[in-house]
Amino acid sequence: MNKKLLSIALLLFPIMALAAGKNVKANDKAVSFIGRTETLADGSVRYDWVGTYLRTRFTGGNIAVIASETGTSYYNVIIDGKVTKKMKITGTSPQKYVLASDLSKDSHELMLQKCTEGEYGCTTIHSIEIADNGTLTPVEPKKRLIEAYGDSYTCGYGTEGRTASERFRLDTENCNKAYIPIMARYFDADYRIIAHSGNGMVRNWGDKKQQSSVNMSTRYTQLYDDFSTKAFDYNQRRPDIVTINIGTNDFSPTAIPEAQKYVAAYIKMIETISKRYDNVPILCITPHSSNHYLRAAIQLLKESTANIYPNVHFAMLMNNIINDDVDLGSDWHPNYQGQTKIAMTLIPQISKIMHWEVKE
């Protein structure tokens, strides 16, 4: 073989190798993860925060993941912007999960989105499997990024429940139908969610003590929700705006905490996020179901931060936007319609803060 032919062969080799190979490591440059994740020594990617998603573009008509799970997690499979199925991943041994098959062999975009919370399972994506003649290419990140801290309302707890009286089941949780992904789709933004159902800023739902030992104040700086307490190093892309929607559980029945303790923990969160993300705009949300104790605490927070944190904003109250008969899913949590109302209430406020355009 002459030198010219050898040079051409060497240039073509990486493409030929990719086309011939079936398995691509999860940490390949063609695969991106949005959310808090950890890349392991073998190229696997592990995570448990609700809403975490991977994206890639593939050809060849078929795509699958090799994944393992500490518990059970549900996932939305989204192909070319449309949810094609919701599937369950479970089992500690790596297994193959087919995401799409027999599609046209040209380019398709995959989004694999974790619907459920870390409390129920931590996922490891070991590799991506494609057709023998398939390829993977990266998907460009969106120009906007929203980061959200919250509780069950942010997680999408019970969004697929049929009635308010229906008890929660894991398969009724779907973060894609919660207000943050709804707003992200509206603004054509990526998002990251750091949220855990039942947790408050200082006190969790129904706790008989005024302060819970583990709460969102202890979780939000972690790499994982529930799998590990390893610290998050904030080495990811800076969000354009941060939302905080925490407080419903703090002021749930029994041992209501002192407002000052809630406010102190909230301000510490604001200061930490502001420092890590260079004074990113922060929108503090009063939950739609807030009682007078929580509203009083938020008012104290507003007074305590006035003229001190110019990056902090407060959303308008939205206590009268939900109709109990049609807007609620499992355990009296907002269903998709209720979550859409919350998103529609917040969208113009985010537009004002960020100068992002609104659409008809």
Side-chain angles (χ1 to χ4, degrees), residues 89-127:
I89 292 181
T90 189
T92 55
S93 298
Q95 299 179 55
K96 176 179 174 179
Y97 295 88
V98 176
L99 307 180
S101 60
D102 300 323
L103 301 180
S104 62
K105 297 186 184 300
D106 55 354
S107 181
H108 298 279
E109 184 176 321
L110 166 71
M111 178 176 174
L112 182 64
Q113 175 196 51
K114 192 175 191 294
C115 298
T116 50
E117 299 173 57
E119 176 182 357
Y120 303 103
C122 178
T123 302
T124 301
I125 304 294
H126 299 273
S127 62

Side-chain angles (χ1 to χ4, degrees), residues 44-111:
S44 299
V45 177
R46 184 172 63 198
Y47 54 90
D48 70 349
W49 285 108
V50 64
T52 302
Y53 55 100
L54 74 80
R55 275 202 307 244
T56 190
R57 188 172 291 279
F58 67 97
T59 63
N62 304 325
I63 191 164
V65 292
I66 310 302
S68 58
E69 249 289 336
T70 62
T72 298
S73 290
Y74 281 86
Y75 277 81
N76 285 318
V77 179
I78 303 171
I79 304 292
D80 297 330
K82 296 182 179 180
V83 178
T84 58
K85 62 181 174 181
K86 185 179 180 182
M87 69 177 193
K88 179 169 68 173
I89 292 181
T90 189
T92 55
S93 298
Q95 299 179 55
K96 176 179 174 179
Y97 295 88
V98 176
L99 307 180
S101 60
D102 300 323
L103 301 180
S104 62
K105 297 186 184 300
D106 55 354
S107 181
H108 298 279
E109 184 176 321
L110 166 71
M111 178 176 174

